[in-house]
Amino acid sequence: MTAGHQAPASPLAAATHDALARGGALSQADPGFIEREMQQRLASAMAQAIEDRAALVAEAGTGVGKTFAYLVPLLLSGRRALVSTATKSLQDQLFLRDLPRLRDALRVPARIALLKGRSSYLCLHRLQQARETATLPDRFAVRALARIEHWATATATGDLAEIEGLDDRSPVIPLVTSTRDNCLGTECPQHGSCHVARARRDAMVADLVVVNHHLFFADLSLRDSGVAELLPTVDAAVFDEAHQLVETGLQFLGTSLGTTQVLDLARDVVAAGLAHARGLAPWQDLAGALDHAARDLRLACAGPLRDLRGIVKLRWDERAARPEFIAALQALSSAAQALVQGLIAVEAAAPDFTRLIERARSLSALSGSFVEAAAEARVRWIDLGPRDARLIESPLHIRDLFAEQREAAQRAWIFTSATLGTDDELSWFCEAAAMEDARKLRVGSPFDYAAHARTWVPPRFPKPNEAGHPAAVGALAARLAGRLGGRTFVLTTTLRVLPVIAEALNEASAAAGDGLQVLVQGSHPKRTLLQRFLDTPRSVLVGSQSFWEGIDVPGDALQCVIIDKLPFPPPNDPLVQARSRELERLGRDPFNDYYLAEAAISLKQGAGRLIRSESDRGLLVITDPRLRQMPYGRKLRQALPPMGALDTEADALAWLDELASAHVG
């Protein structure tokens, strides 16, 4: 037994310990595998929770090896399990790489399956419709559809992730995939070849199924088939990147009405009407009424706002009482009712019409519900984008769902992430997910942050609320990245400042003549942008929320991370305001119990982009003087990895010089 390891407390924990201690077999699954005491502690706790069918919340620092720590005991247990990850790319990594290698190394006969949401799979029926009736916006969409058609003849899974280089934002994807609204189910002429149905059948007979958080909540909240059928049959459920569960859950436990879904319905009505009942109803007029109502609703939501960049959250009371807003909702409900009448007359012509009737009735009812007052303990707001609007009603937390699921059946519930709290009770996550009674474990990172990383908070810098702050961030980023030779991330807390920082960075770089290549979020798909960062010498990537986590750039390709300001929740966000009011009602302090806790978690995530392996070195810069000046700064600094602290810009530049010389050498 490796020194420092506690004796395993159960047969499964002992078997897990031995598998990880042997190393030789697991190095076949991961050539870089190293047995670590911290990983053994984590794996032992997870094995014990699986054996006891208990709940465990485990925070594991970067580099611990939490993936093997839960996969090894799951595979060795022989029990039926579900693993949920934060993203589809992490799903693919587990299913295509980690699980097959581990299964072979451990020599266990486990059947594994991958299950994603409907929008990830090709719908053969809708592909045929798109081929016959779709109006594509440009030649790029025409090419994308042609690629999908060619691929469709050979794919066994129908998973669109198989298509190399297919842009997630392509307008073709909604045309060739199904939603819960437009799926025809067993009435579909292609049901026997349905990729979604096949994936669900495979999941129901597998020993271990990999899903994602979005699918988990979507299926449970809608009582759709898939996870809702699968969960009652599993003995263990593991949630990796569990810090994302709360916000993901809220997206699906609420109710939403979006102008995009109205336009999708209008498009599907025209396609089905012309294909199956041409001339039997005024399809263009019925769809046009929906289209007009959707556009009027978005205009009513926008009010005086124009030229939006990204999503703007509006308080419900900013629009709800306006006559044009209520009139738009009523017009939408009327258009949906008129569509129902038109569809009923031709329902027998094709199964498509039965599903369209259900969608139109649901849309009419939903439009009417948003005219009424919100239910108790729920909050409403409007997400307004450049081309669409979504009306949202959400609960304030996901506690009830997890409490209900835990009461339904006794199984192991394991939640793990690098960031689940700032105290030993992991209160940030446990309170939000009703896991106060769960077992808790915190395992630190094995990385030597003190030797390999430095953090610097500029002492004299514009405050975040001052107009010159974004430009100052860009100018400083140019000086630091110029010294390092690129290899820098600038992470912002809002999309709004991205172009300002990027412009200032470009101008300062040009003036210095150091030839930095500035890459900005939104200019290309995320995956493409990250690849360009890796492939382009002297590059700096300026990104917002989607680059704060889930990005893994080990080695010296990334050695400087700049965070523009402390990531407090936006105080004008309707959900943030509602949570603050609830805490005040309970006699608690919203700033200490909510704002500060959220900022600490986000700061840990952003800082975690810097050091990804034992040999990584780098500099973390936080351009927010409040971290030095305000009393709460000490608590936020404690949330960061234990890096060495620098005092001046000269110190920071000297450290970057050292990193740059090592990189050249």
Side-chain angles (χ1 to χ4, degrees), residues 43-355:
S44 178
M46 290 180 169
Q48 195 69 54
I50 293 168
E51 195 135 46
D52 297 343
R53 297 178 181 267
L56 169 68
V57 179
E59 182 180 84
T62 306
V64 167
K66 59 183 169 63
T67 303
F68 276 26
Y70 63 75
L71 288 183
V72 169
L74 281 179
L75 289 170
L76 291 176
S77 72
R79 296 183 179 181
R80 195 137 196 260
L82 175 146
V83 174
S84 182
T85 69
T87 64
K88 289 184 284 188
S89 61
L90 287 174
Q91 265 189 286
D92 290 336
Q93 177 183 313
L94 284 177
F95 178 74
L96 298 174
R97 190 189 73 183
D98 296 339
L99 272 167
R101 291 177 178 179
L102 267 180
R103 179 181 59 186
D104 294 344
L106 296 171
R107 298 180 181 179
V108 292
R111 294 168 296 180
I112 60 175
L114 179 70
L115 185 59
K116 298 180 180 179
R118 294 176 183 274
S119 63
S120 295
Y121 297 100
L122 175 70
C123 172
L124 296 170
H125 178 59
R126 288 181 62 78
L127 175 63
Q128 182 178 347
Q129 285 185 324
R131 186 187 300 122
E132 296 171 352
T133 65
T135 301
L136 301 177
D138 52 43
R139 69 180 187 277
F140 302 107
V142 173
R143 290 174 187 167
L145 180 59
R147 288 188 64 200
I148 291 171
E149 286 189 85
H150 178 73
W151 162 80
T153 62
T155 180
T157 67
D159 187 344
L160 292 171
E162 294 176 355
I163 305 177
E164 186 73 26
L166 180 64
D167 189 345
D168 291 343
R169 304 173 298 180
S170 171
V172 174
I173 292 178
L175 301 179
V176 299
T177 58
S178 70
T179 65
R180 184 174 181 269
D181 286 337
N182 61 35
C183 176
L184 302 180
T186 56
E187 298 298 318
C188 178
Q190 299 280 0
H191 181 70
S193 305
C194 177
H195 293 300
V196 173
R198 182 184 295 113
R200 288 177 171 175
R201 288 195 300 270
D202 290 347
M204 289 305 297
V205 298
D207 301 305
L208 192 153
V209 183
V210 184
V211 303
N212 60 66
H213 300 342
H214 286 81
L215 176 64
F216 176 82
F217 284 111
D219 273 14
L220 286 187
S221 61
L222 296 172
R223 295 295 188 264
D224 201 359
S225 57
V227 172
E229 290 180 349
L230 177 65
L231 188 58
T233 70
V234 303
D235 301 306
V238 177
F239 297 86
D240 199 350
E241 301 296 324
H243 65 280
Q244 294 192 20
L245 276 175
V246 176
E247 295 306 319
T248 302
L250 290 175
Q251 294 177 33
F252 293 99
L253 298 181
T255 303
S256 69
L257 168 61
T259 55
T260 298
Q261 75 188 76
V262 179
L263 297 176
D264 288 346
L265 175 59
R267 182 193 63 216
D268 291 347
V269 164
V270 171
L274 296 182
H276 305 295
R278 185 183 292 268
L280 299 183
W283 301 117
Q284 296 286 2
D285 292 343
L286 290 169
L290 280 180
D291 189 292
H292 188 73
R295 297 182 193 283
D296 282 351
L297 178 58
R298 192 206 168 273
L299 287 173
C301 291
L305 298 176
R306 295 291 185 272
D307 300 324
L308 296 177
R309 292 181 61 90
I311 304 296
V312 174
K313 270 187 166 56
L314 301 174
R315 293 197 318 274
W316 188 253
D317 58 10
E318 292 183 68
R319 298 289 186 268
R322 294 189 175 188
E324 63 270 25
F325 181 77
I326 296 173
L329 281 172
Q330 292 171 337
L332 180 56
S333 181
S334 298
Q337 290 172 8
L339 176 60
V340 169
Q341 298 308 311
L343 290 167
I344 287 175
V346 298
E347 183 177 5
D352 303 61
F353 293 122
T354 301
R355 198 71 190 98

Side-chain angles (χ1 to χ4, degrees), residues 410-432:
Q410 187 176 4
R411 66 175 60 88
W413 292 90
I414 296 174
F415 304 88
T416 187
S417 169
T419 48
L420 291 175
T422 57
D423 60 353
D424 289 342
E425 290 300 306
L426 300 172
S427 303
W428 176 82
F429 176 81
C430 291
E431 286 188 16

Side-chain angles (χ1 to χ4, degrees), residues 223 399-409:
R223 295 295 188 264
R399 290 179 58 87
D400 293 345
L401 179 137
F402 275 118
E404 175 187 321
Q405 289 299 323
R406 288 180 67 190
E407 290 173 3

Side-chain angles (χ1 to χ4, degrees), residues 496-538:
R496 178 177 49 82
V497 300
L498 281 178
V500 183
I501 291 176
E503 182 180 0
L505 207 166
N506 267 316
E507 290 177 355
S509 173
D514 53 25
L516 294 175
Q517 302 296 311
V518 181
L519 307 172
V520 186
Q521 178 181 335
S523 60
H524 296 90
K526 179 180 176 181
R527 190 182 308 171
T528 303
L529 203 62
L530 187 59
Q531 192 59 50
R532 289 195 177 194
F533 174 81
L534 295 172
D535 295 341
T536 307
R538 303 188 66 80

